[in-house]
Amino acid sequence: MPGNYTKLVEVYRELKAAAHPNVTVGIHTVVSQFNVREVAAVRRHVRDELRPDSFITELAEERLELDTIGLDITPTPDDYSRVVDDLVEDIDTTPARGVAAVTQAFRREYYQVALQTLKEQRQVLPCYAGLASAQIAPNGDVWTCCTRAESMGNLRKTGFNFSKVWTSQRADELRGSIRRGECFCPLANAAYSSMLCDPPSLMRVGWRWLSRKLRPAGTPAAKIFSEVVP
């Protein structure tokens, strides 16, 4: 839409000017085939000109809810690998504060998971979609996640009894399929929930956050992490 970016910047500056102590303001960019080679430039513009509390990205995917099924929008692993290198360097050199710092630590782990998933075309992180998270579609369908978009049951057809849908045979079938690794995706929301349920991921995220607090000025976080956690 013409003028959208101008409106975005106006709203962003108003939010930043409010300066509420319990509010962090971040900027989120989707990485697709259309902008994958410009993400580094976008990141520099955001950091130098707008200076948000956090800057994050997510891979563009074919998703039913976004009407992108059949569209070639996901970047190649090689192209995305260069983006991840740039984003990880950005995180290591531009530490966030407060709650944003915790989110940043999870985001750093997510970038690596998303890249590995894209390269290997498999679940590299045990997925807890349908257990730790779910999504309700506008028509009342309850999905394990918005990438798979397969219904566990419909709330309208069960008198809005979520428990009945959540404990249905169909829900168990979909959970079993996910547990067997019959699907994979780099969906950030499901990845965050899965990291919270995965002890190795939690340890990596926690150590990266802690090392940022403890490391001497000018020492790369990756150096400390590699020395303690091979």
Side-chain angles (χ1 to χ4, degrees):
M1 296 294 292
N4 252 12
Y5 185 71
T6 299
K7 294 175 183 177
L8 180 149
V9 171
E10 288 174 356
V11 172
Y12 168 80
R13 294 197 187 285
E14 288 181 11
L15 288 170
K16 289 288 285 184
H20 292 296
N22 62 331
V23 174
T24 59
V25 185
I27 292 179
H28 184 172
T29 298
V30 174
V31 180
S32 72
Q33 286 272 29
F34 304 107
N35 70 349
V36 66
R37 292 173 181 81
E38 284 75 46
V39 173
V42 170
R43 193 262 303 166
R44 288 192 296 272
H45 167 70
V46 169
R47 286 297 191 197
D48 296 343
E49 302 296 327
L50 299 178
R51 301 179 182 276
D53 296 314
S54 66
F55 172 67
I56 63 176
T57 71
E58 186 173 350
L59 275 168
E61 300 177 82
E62 294 185 27
R63 286 183 6 202
L64 181 66
E65 62 174 341
L66 303 178
D67 197 26
T68 55
I69 300 297
L71 301 180
D72 185 21
I73 58 175
T74 305
T76 65
D78 286 344
D79 283 341
Y80 187 60
S81 178
R82 288 187 285 272
V83 170
V84 168
D85 289 343
D86 181 73
L87 293 172
V88 167
E89 182 181 359
D90 176 61
I91 288 173
D92 288 344
T93 57
T94 316
R97 294 175 295 176
V99 175
V102 178
T103 302
Q104 192 180 64
F106 274 96
R107 181 57 56 163
R108 193 186 193 284
E109 177 75 6
Y110 163 73
Y111 290 144
Q112 303 293 350
V113 168
L115 176 59
Q116 194 176 350
T117 302
L118 203 59
K119 284 182 175 180
E120 300 181 17
Q121 297 290 288
R122 67 176 182 88
Q123 279 186 28
V124 298
L125 170 70
C127 183
Y128 288 84
L131 283 170
S133 61
Q135 181 165 333
I136 300 175
N139 67 347
D141 281 341
V142 180
W143 297 337
T144 55
C145 76
C146 58
T147 300
R148 186 153 179 165
E150 293 182 38
S151 180
M152 304 164 78
N154 189 284
L155 293 178
R156 296 177 187 273
K157 296 178 180 178
T158 59
F160 294 94
N161 187 334
F162 185 85
S163 179
K164 188 172 183 178
V165 172
W166 195 245
T167 58
S168 66
Q169 180 180 346
R170 177 58 177 163
D172 287 340
E173 290 171 356
L174 288 171
R175 292 187 187 110
S177 174
I178 294 169
R179 186 171 58 252
R180 291 189 295 271
E182 294 174 358
C183 60
F184 58 88
C185 75
L187 180 65
N189 287 347
Y192 279 146
S193 298
S194 296
M195 280 184 233
L196 290 170
C197 298
D198 183 54
S201 295
L202 274 179
M203 288 179 62
R204 285 192 297 270
V205 170
W207 177 252
R208 284 196 176 102
W209 177 81
L210 184 62
S211 67
R212 195 174 274 289
K213 293 279 188 182
L214 300 178
R215 78 177 192 259
T219 304
K223 183 176 187 297
I224 291 181
F225 184 77
S226 64
E227 290 174 352
V228 179
V229 184

